[in-house]
Amino acid sequence: MSARWCPAEACRPIIDEAPVFYPTIEEFQDTLGYIAAIRPKAEPYGICRIVPPSSWIPPCPLKEKSLWEHAKFSTRIQQIDLLQNREPMRKKSRGRKRKRRRHSRMGKSRRRARAESPEANNASDTEETFGFQSGPDFTFQGFQNYAQDFKDSYFGINDVKDLSSGGNGSLKRWEPSVEDIEGEYWRIVEQPTDEIEVYYGADLETGAYGSGFPKPSSVTERGSDIYTKSGWNLNNFPRLPGSVLCFEGCDIPGVLVPWLYVGMCFSSFCWHVEDHHLYSLNYLHWGDPKVWYGVPGSHACELENAMRKHLPDLFEEQPHLLNELVTQLSPTVLRSEGVPVYRSVQHSGEFVLTFPRAYHSGFNCGFNCAEAVNVAPIDWLTHGQSAVELYSKQHRKTSLSHDKLLLGAAHKAIHALWELCVLGQESAESLSWRSECGKDGMLTKAIKIRVQMELERTKQLPALLQFQKMEKDFDLNSERECFSCFYDLHLSAASCKCSPERFACLKHADLVCSCGQENKFVLFRYTIDELDTLVEALEGNPDALRSWASQDIGLVVVKGKDETVSELGHQSKEFGSKDFDKKTPESQKTEGNIKMRKPCIIDLNTGIQSG
């Protein structure tokens, strides 16, 4: 290796630190509750670090000898000197390619299969875009050896002896500090003088490679059970009670199933936001620190504008460059443009939490292994709505059905309100959902915003279009998205008799085909009146709650031998709570294309249905 550390030319950014939190053992028991508690203080920084109680040390299955020495993972090649300072690929293809000692390893890259940018979708074989091409496969043992050799050589670690440690005269191995590595990293990115290529084992699916957290099937140590069930175990985290990702049935890699990241010195994660502007939680299982930079979600647009200003040629070639996760820009430059940037240094055994639409980036200080996944508390819903509207404008595919999550949360809240108002039952879960309802509740506000969008778009539809009720299983077995902008069609869709399997969102209903309006139709899962009833139910209107609960969810009025329980009265003392949780059979009547569940009353003493 000819490239060497240049400490005299260090470019370490001068920025403030993100907050660090130290939950007590009691606070640590409620994962989402703790995140909600620190959100007011932490969210303005975009990221924060969470240090678990010292007694929380989960076993790591990845360190088992059979995996450590034999299981192989894939890597990517990262050219650190080209992350910020590089020419557009079109210029290179016209003969202005930079002379390199090795052939440039360029190639298209993507983050998730369903989150490709239009450039990646439409690029021809002759149009290259900058990205990270595949590197060699490694075992953990092999990668550790490679990473240590690189770091030792680059920083001249083997050439330095430090006799200052200990009073016993023993030699202490000198290591560059985090500050040393950070200053050198940004020197390479901002003022490159050499080619620096490293490997990064990124976006490794834990379903294939294994998770660093114990699962029930992997528990071999006594006492590990507390870690398999912990909310901080990233295998459990996405679908914790209170996260609307509970209503997503598919195990989407990287969103609902954690990804592993095996790093070496300088391996990087470039500026990006999470898919759908979700929260993310990253845990460092072992190894050298990981340096993070965060920008609060409220300043996301400022970061995007600053990057376009300073890297105009790259954005001209790829307008949605930030979706590709291949570009850095120094925090020093961002700060000069008025963008607030904060640093966090994550050590082994610590978490880093990122907030909705908070841009983040960073690099590794040496060999390490981290794991990350997403989560979506109720307060995320408004951010998620903004994300899907932005994706629609960008004609970018989605990873999730936002409307499915939103309605799933609404149905869960209606169940909770029914429990509280009709059955007189109180549970921690039902009280939690009630706190998100009411006229000022976050869930109610999110539903209101979406209903208002649907109303405005419905008003813009041509008058001659036929309105039909959407079948419940319309998108049960396959995703339905707008052919034009990829907007999710769980709530409504437009089509035509000439092409019944081609659908558009309400904004692009007129683009489905060239047929006359008399042949076109629009499918609605709910009418605007029904959605208004849902809003009123969440706000606390008793009649609206009764209507939505009985007609949409199937909760029913129950009548006992001696007493009758009205829809919004209190539970009869004569019956156990399980009796009041029964749902009506699928007694339905069909009117045209509209399927309606017929409400009924069940007498628990006789089993006779009426009404």
Side-chain angles (χ1 to χ4, degrees), residues 85-98:
N85 289 288
R86 63 177 183 267
E87 291 181 336
M89 295 302 292
R90 292 194 188 110
K91 287 186 178 180
K92 287 178 176 291
S93 66
R94 290 198 296 266
R96 294 178 57 190
K97 180 175 285 191
R98 171 185 172 191

Side-chain angles (χ1 to χ4, degrees), residues 222-239:
R222 181 176 299 177
S224 294
D225 190 52
I226 62 170
Y227 298 109
T228 65
K229 297 178 180 179
S230 171
W232 297 93
N233 182 325
L234 297 192
N235 297 294
N236 305 326
F237 184 65
R239 289 191 170 105

Side-chain angles (χ1 to χ4, degrees), residues 139-159:
T139 62
F140 286 109
Q141 180 67 64
F143 195 75
Q144 181 183 32
N145 293 338
Y146 180 88
Q148 193 61 59
D149 287 345
F150 172 88
K151 187 173 180 179
D152 287 353
S153 298
Y154 192 90
F155 286 94
I157 291 175
N158 293 332
D159 301 329

